[in-house]
């Protein structure tokens, strides 16, 4: 029997009044409220590394059991797109540039997709075990961890061009 996944959408809520220092009873309120459950019948296994497209109210996550990135429209309450064939995923969305970045630890590549069409824009070789990434809005750069147990570092990319700039070497002693 195939077990399907569900995305639980929650909102941070503290009632109808915004919190301030004047409200000492805020801790008595529940910080999270379940507002919607979205079934993902074609997704099996674990969902990991979520990112959010605030403009379109989409949740994007790595469906590890399916080797795919799933895009869920929280307004429509359904899965609207899958990017398949990508094992060992980490995904994050950069709204300022409308780009989705997907690091693939299995092949060591970072794929950059258009945030509207999900068309592949660029593929960048990162290195063994390309992993988690972060966006720095001040520098307009993406940082992607890579490497095995002994060698590795952080690849630095320009978000606008999708080009790899330099690496930050691993300073861990061997």
């Amino acid at each position: 029997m195939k077990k399907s996944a569900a995305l639980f959408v929650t909102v941070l809520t503290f009632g109808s009044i915004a919190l301030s220092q004047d409200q000492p009873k805020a801790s008595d309120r529940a910080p999270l409220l379940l507002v919607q459950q979205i079934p993902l019948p074609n997704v099996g296994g674990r969902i990991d590394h979520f990112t959010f497209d605030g403009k379109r109210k989409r949740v994007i996550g790595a469906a590890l059991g399916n080797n795919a990135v799933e895009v869920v429209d929280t307004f429509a309450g359904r899965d609207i797109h899958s990017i398949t064939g990508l094992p060992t995923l980490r995904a994050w969305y950069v709204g300022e540039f409308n780009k989705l970045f997907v690091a693939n630890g299995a092949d060591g590549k970072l794929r950059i997709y258009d945030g509207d069409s999900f068309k592949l824009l660029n593929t960048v070789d990162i290195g063994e075990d390309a992993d988690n990434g972060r966006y720095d809005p001040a520098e307009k750069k993406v940082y992607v961890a890579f490497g095995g147990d002994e060698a590795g570092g952080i690849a630095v990319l320009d978000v606008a061009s999708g080009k790899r700039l330099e690496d930050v070497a691993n300073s861990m002693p061997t």
Side-chain angles (χ1 to χ4, degrees):
M1 178 171 153
K2 182 178 176 184
K3 194 178 207 180
S4 66
L7 176 66
F8 294 94
V9 180
T10 58
V11 294
L12 188 57
T13 180
F14 296 99
S16 59
I17 304 171
L19 287 180
S20 74
Q21 293 178 357
D22 300 350
Q23 298 170 329
K25 296 192 182 222
S27 63
D28 294 340
R29 297 183 202 159
L32 296 175
L33 173 69
L34 177 64
V35 295
Q36 184 178 22
Q37 292 184 34
I38 301 172
L40 302 174
N42 296 321
V43 175
R46 193 176 83 167
I47 300 174
D48 200 4
H49 292 270
F50 287 97
T51 187
F52 185 67
D53 174 357
K55 180 179 175 184
R56 294 174 196 84
K57 308 297 185 235
R58 299 184 304 192
V59 176
I60 303 164
L64 300 180
N66 288 36
N67 296 330
V69 172
E70 297 297 326
V71 181
V72 177
D73 182 329
T74 60
F75 280 150
R78 64 183 180 86
D79 195 355
I80 60 167
H81 190 79
S82 296
I83 302 171
T84 60
L86 302 170
T88 319
L89 305 172
R90 306 294 186 259
W92 63 99
Y93 177 76
V94 177
E96 182 179 357
F97 289 88
N98 193 31
K99 293 181 179 179
L100 175 63
F101 293 82
V102 180
N104 185 330
D107 68 6
K109 298 187 186 310
L110 176 73
R111 290 170 176 82
I112 305 169
Y113 296 89
D114 176 77
D116 289 318
S117 67
F118 303 106
K119 176 185 172 193
L120 181 63
L121 301 174
N122 194 13
T123 301
V124 180
D125 287 320
I126 298 296
E128 179 186 359
D129 196 24
D131 201 350
N132 216 345
R134 295 290 183 266
Y135 172 59
D136 178 354
E139 296 291 325
K140 311 289 188 236
K141 294 179 181 176
V142 165
Y143 298 86
V144 184
F146 68 92
D149 293 334
E150 294 182 23
I154 299 173
V156 182
L157 292 94
D158 175 72
V159 175
S161 68
K163 303 274 187 225
R164 188 170 181 169
L165 301 174
E166 73 263 356
D167 290 349
V168 179
N170 183 354
S171 61
M172 300 277 297
T174 57

